[in-house]
Each structure stands twice: as C-alpha cells, then as structure tokens.
Amino acid sequence: MTVSRDGTINWWSLEMSLLRTAYSSSPHLKVRTTWVTDMVCLPDVNIVVTSSTERDLRFYDCTAKTFTLKIVITSWEYMICTMHYHFYKDPNEQSILICGDAAGSVRALTFSPVERGPFRNKPGRALLQLRHVDLQKRPRLLPELKLTEMPRVHSDWVRQVSFYASLHCVVSCSTCADALLMCDLAASKTHNLFRVDKGIQCFVFDEEAHVLATGGPDCTVRVWNPFVPSKASVTLHGHHAGITALVLQSNGQIVYSLARDRTIKVWDVQGQVCVQTYIDVPSQIGERTPISAVYNPATREFILAAIKLAVLVLDEQLNPQHTDGFTHSRAVARVLYNPLFKVVITCGMDSIIINWDPVTGKRNLLVRDAHTRLLHGELIPVEITSACFDPGHQLLLTGARNGTLKVWNFNTGVCLRNLAIEHMCEVTNCFWVEGRILAVGWNRHVTEFEDTGTSSSGKAWETRHSDDVLAAAARTPLSLATASYNSELIFWKLETGQPYRRFSCTEPMLRIKLQYSKRAASPPAAASGTARRSTSSMMRPSVSVGGGRESLRAAAAVQKARARRVSTVTLPPRAQHMRQLAVHAMLFLTARPCHMRVASLVVSLENGQVQCWSDHPAGGIQGAFQGIHTVGDYVSAFASDVDNDYLFTGTTAGYIKVWLMKNYLRNEKVHVNMPLLRLTFPFLWRDRIEGRAKRCVRDQPLPLLLNSYRAHLRCVTTLAYLDDLRLVLSGSSDYSVRVWRLSGEYLHTLGSFVPWSLDVTRFPPDVRKVASFTTFKLCIEGSPDHDPMLRRCGAAAGCRASCRGRWRRTCCATSRRWNCARARSARPPPSRCWAATWRCRSAPSRRRHLSSTTRCPPYRCTRTCAWRRRNRCAAHPRPSWCAPRAFAASSTAPRRARTLKRAKSDLVEGGRGEVFQYSVVILLFYNYN
C-alpha cells in the first residue's frame, strides 16, 4: 500500500499491478485539501490509519473492499509524523499502535483485537469522532482503546518508532542528542537512552540476535548491542549523505543502508567492511523527492517510492534443496592447503583471497580486491589466475590476469611486495623455488625474480615457445616443465634456466633436437618456422608390420570399439595434423625418482588423454591413459598425495577421478592390497550393470581407476588433497569449493549456510538432479549410515557413535585399516558393531585371556559355545571360520601361536546379491589359560 501527500491510497499486488484506489480526506475541510504525513495498516482488524497535518488520526474500515471512515481522533497537541503497529498471533494479547509527534512525544494506543475491538460495527453509529482530551479525561467514550503517553522524550521530531516485542519495549529515534530511546510502556523496567551528537534518522533491529543498527545525518552506520547503550559495537563509514533507511539480513550480519543521494551500500558487520556499493537506483522515481522505503522479508525485496516505485532484490535467499551456497562470487581459481598452519587458501576470479579452517569450516581472513587496475580513475578488481606458497609455507604468491604478481602474508592479509611480468599479460602459473620466483604466462617465456629483492621487474629466460604457455609444473631443485597451446612441451634446468628437452604432445614419439645459440631468441614467426623445419627432419620410430592386413583390421576394430565406449570421435589422420592438441594441466610426482624409465610428470591434453613423461634427460613419454568417459571432456586439474600413491583428476564436465599410481610406470614391482582398496573405495564394489566410468577402462588395466563421481555441474578448476585429514577439496567455476572424503562421500561446501560437520555425509543438492547411479552409490552406499550390514547389526547405534568418520583410519584401537562395518571377508567384525561374542581379531588390546565359555576364540568355536545362541544377530548365516567342532582347551598350558596363511570366503549380502571375494593373510597370536 502506498499513500501520497494528497491522501491518495493505492493497493498494489506483489507483481506491482494496481489493484484499487481510495482517498483519505478530513471531513471538516471544505476548501483546503489534506496533507497526509504517514499511514499504517492494522491487518488483524482490517483497518487503515492515516495521520495528517490537521493533527488527527483517521481509522478506515477496509472490510470487503470498502473504505469507510470509522473513527476520527482530532485535536492532538502536535502533528503525528510517524506511526508503527504491532500485533501478536495470540488474539488474547493486546495490539499496540505507536505514534510519534513533532514535539518529541511518543504515544501508544492499545486495544484487544477480539471481535475487532473498538472497530466492531455497532448499530446506530456510523462515525465516531473524539478529541485527544477525551481519551485522557473521558475514557468511557471509547473504553476499548487505551492511551499511554510518554511526553517530550526527545527535543526534536520523532523520526521513527517501533516495538521490540521480546523486551516489550517501545523504540523511538530523533535527530537530536538524545537520539534513540528504548523503554517499556510503564517506563519502569527498561529505559535505555542511546546518545549520538547529530541524532538518528532511522534504525532497524533483529530480535533473535539482539542487534540494533542505526543511521543518521552524520552519514555513519552504527551497530549496537541493545543492552549496552554507552558505545556502538561497530561503526561503518562510507556514505556521503544522510542515511534514510536500513535493512538487516542473516541475523544481523549483513546491513543495507540507503542514503539521500540514492546510494545503497551493503555492509559485512563481522568483517566491518563495505561489500558492495549500488548507485544504479533509477532516476525516474524522483531525483529531488524524498524516498520512502519498505522491506519485504518474505521475498527479500526492497521497495523504494517517491514519484514512482522501484523494486530491488537484496541477496536472494538460497534454497537448500537446490544449492549449499557458494564460496566465492565468481569462479574459483586456486585451492591450496598449507601444512604448516593447517589452513586452506582459496583464490577466486572475484579477486578475493580467503583463509579457511578446514576442521571448523570458519573463515579466518578475507582479502578483497587483491589485484586491481586503474580504469578511468577507478580501481577495478582483476581476476586471480595462479597462486603458490613459498618453500617454507609462510608466504603466499598470487598472479593475476593483468600480469601482476603479489606476495602476501595470508594470516594478516598484508601485501608485502608487488611484481609484474608484462602489462595485461596473464600469469598462468607461478612458482616459488629456493631463492627465486618464477612466472609463466601469455608472454611465452619464463620470468625470474629474486625473492629477497625490492625490484618489481625480473629477467626473462630464453623464449622457446611459439604460443601462449597454458600449463607449467616445477620439481625442485631439478627441473621445470612448461607446455603451450600448440602442444609444445619443454623441460628446463632450474639451476641454469636452460632447456634440455623438447617434445610435441600431439606426436610424443618424435625426437626434436634443441639448438643452442648465443644470439637472442628469434621472434615467434621464426621460431615456428624453425619448428616446422625441424619437424620435417624428425626421426620416426620403426613400426612392425608383420601382422599384415588382418592385424591392422583387428587393431582398427579394437580402437573403434574403445572409442564407442569412451564416447569420443576419432578424427581422420589428415585432420589430426591440422590441429595441435593444447595442454591444459600438468603435475610433477615429486616423490618419484628422476629415472629414464619412471614417469614423474602427468600432462593433460584437450582430447581427454593423460600422458606420463619422464623428466630425465634420456627419458621421454612412458605411457598414456584415457582420463574421461564423456564426449568433449578433458582433465582440467591435477592433485596428488605426499607419497604419490593416488592421482586426483578433475574434468571440465565436473567429474573427479582417483587413479592408483603406486604400481604405474615405476620401473619396479609394487604389491597392491586390493582388499584394503575395496574397503576404502566403494567404487570398486561389483555392480550388476557397470557404469560408463568402468566401461571405459575395461581395456585399461593400469592405472587402476579407484573412484569416479560427479562433484560439480561445471568445470573443476582446481584440486587439493589434505593428507592428514584424508580429504579432497575441489574448486569449480560454479563458485564453490567442496570437501570430499577419499572414498568419494560429500561432506560440505566452504562458506555454506549449512552447519559444518566432517562426520555427517550428505549429497550435493545440485548434483542430485543429474547424478548417475555410480555417484549415488558412492554418496549413499559409501556412508556408514546406509550400510546394509550395519543396519542388520544388533549394536548398530554403538558402532555409529564410536566409528563414524574414523573407520578409514582406525577401528577398535587397531593400526590396521579395517572398517568395522564393511568387513566383507571371513574375518568377523569387531565387537562394537556386532554381538558381544564377536571380537576384533586385529586389535592387540583384544588379545587377552578369554574365557572359553563366554567368547568364541578366533576362527574356532569352543565346546560349550553355540554360535547361533551366543550371537545376537541370529539372522546372519554362520561364518565359515566358526566351525562347530570342539577342541581341547587346557586351563594351564598356554596356546601356541597359530598362523592362518590364507582364508577365502564368499559373503553374499542379503538384498543386493553382490558377491565379494577376498584373499586375506592374517597372523594371529593368542594365549589362553
């Protein structure tokens, strides 16, 4: 509802369409028109109240789309300039109408809304006219309406009034020294006076969080504790005109302020910074007319009105059924984990650096506008494209799209140094090696800086690339690898800065000879020409054609079948030479030795292939595998653990895959414990129907695919692995950084409004709509709360309480990585998960002198123990290790060590029909009295 000065009242729908119009006028004025000062609606009794310069209050009945003047209270001492109405859901509670006048007085009219109170229809009375004095001295004229007065509480006009329901207090403000008053109607229990020199024009409060925000002519937003009126908790400066309206959101953590110059600022109370400044309020609503504003918390719409109406949406509320929230306001560029301070650093395309605590999920520090550029006299934020730590993990280095680099203290947010490679030349990768800072980008060469100097410019290495460098990786102190858009791969010596090997990722078997010269590097055109000349004289490896035509047909058929499963399209040979494959990501496996037969560098190509190279001078390509299973996809991010046992890949389609690198291209034989991997990765469990991820690796035995799931709906731009917590962090272009367990279970999103927890697994709301059954299997069946064996367990609640979130590392005080709820072998589950007769066979603390009449010894049964009678889970079949035969148990002679070399069993789970086969070698030592 809107009202103008001439008394025109309009009803509008939420879509801002005009519904009806009415007029409020004084019944005593015949010539001069009225001037309405304020209007308030009484929705529980269907009454509209207007105040005017005639010092009266008019109550209009709006029942059944009528507009009938019901009560008029005239002859107030001063003009009423502001009003507020509050009513309770309980009809037995008194409703209250608060009025503030031009003399600084506050008055309250209370009545009972039962049967509409004083506004009920009475026969023979169409209009009731009263004077203010009648309410004071002759209350019998209107006994349902009670008047309470607080005269002269302010020395100037009352600008705004409200009611603090939780404290049962009336709140009023004025532009005088006694700026804001909070007191109860009796003025006895609560009487808090907030003093501001220039007064307060407007205020807003949150009753749940007990936060009070005020704004006034001094262009300052103040945030108070309502119980501490002596000093404001937070003072926010930035406006250049008086503040006329305020809005609170997120339990008082976000404040919106509207000034007279039509500027809206968004404030972060906890960080005490201005998040956004909005200056695009339409001028059509009136450039010099005072603006009235109202906030609709249901739709989060801020409605501004002067000559016309304008609707602004303030931070639209997120639906938890659709999203968990966002970490940055734009795409995430880099996620880094600092093992020294145990914090996670995220850098976004919004030029923001955030320091997170991965255990609690809280934000430790936020740096805004980390990189900026001057445009038309205004600083514009620049996207962050790369970041890394120094060798001591104490400082942070960031690179931006405009070619600048900055050194930060990420614990305090202080910029320590500014560097630059070239103006408006994007930094694609940066590295901080011992004593030097290296940066590569679109300038096609490596730029080196001293880490202790003060110079902002560095020296350039020799230009060997003929196109923009898109990916790079460093292996201190040996080598640096750089790759360009046209598939060039060059290895550099970190010590000297000289290239020692050059390859083409599109044709990795070609030998390219490097030519060294004392002259300066040739321009890009000459360099490309040299590359073409050298390519024409390249030596090609010999190809055996002993198979003849039949072998070629068989190979073509296998390749065609593989392409069909991977959903890729094979280009003709002529078309392949027309387009070089760009390199988008690379990673050094630093735990591997520098050997000519050991693959220590993984490279991602845009056709979805992952190549493995050796950085040894006599090495080269060692192998390749397909890292995707959807058409048009490719690997865009790499990560690995400290020992390089796992390789994590993120794709442009939003998938995360985990590969076992322990036994891949190591030039040595490494034993792989498959039962342990099956316990850790539910993806390895057998399926009735295999998904695309498993089908595409049927003919690819190595490396073993351990996991594959949909993590984001958009491209995965960066990955990080936390070894001590066994967590995977994925950053995406969907503005979020998500936390995953190693097994693929989703935990949380950094910066989400959902309560943080690393023990409870969830399902990403946005991925749920498009996820495959493989992703559902990992997020649902991979959780202990959904394990069918755990549901059949008689003591499942105790197992959840003791083993949730820790089953991958320890179980029942054992160092072996067995899962108490996921035992799929002949070894029984521990006692915490099953009945008291079951004991954890791998826990040293359980190997004690057990009574043969109360518990079953390992892999045998005593003479007096009946398995089905002793076991609480009677529905579970008898395990193969529990043989019914009896054996002699001496009470004095100790038992010797027994060795079970190999135990094989097939356990068929009820309801799923899945068969799991394990080969377990267990060494058991037991002593019995």
Side-chain angles (χ1 to χ4, degrees), residues 491 595-601 612-616 619-622:
F491 290 95
H595 190 272
M596 62 182 299
R597 297 301 180 189
V598 176
S600 57
L601 177 69
C612 302
W613 298 78
S614 172
D615 62 334
H616 193 273
I621 188 168
Q622 302 300 316

Side-chain angles (χ1 to χ4, degrees), residues 1 85 131 167 221 248 365 372 440 503 544 702 756 835 870:
M1 297 180 64
Y85 179 70
R131 294 189 303 169
L167 299 178
V221 178
L248 279 181
L365 179 72
T372 58
V440 294
F503 299 96
S544 176
L702 292 178
W756 181 268
R870 301 299 303 177

Side-chain angles (χ1 to χ4, degrees), residues 486 506-507 571-581 606:
N486 61 353
T506 305
E507 298 179 275
L571 296 177
R574 293 183 179 180
Q576 291 181 359
H577 292 286
M578 296 173 58
R579 173 74 163 82
Q580 299 292 325
L581 298 176
E606 64 178 343

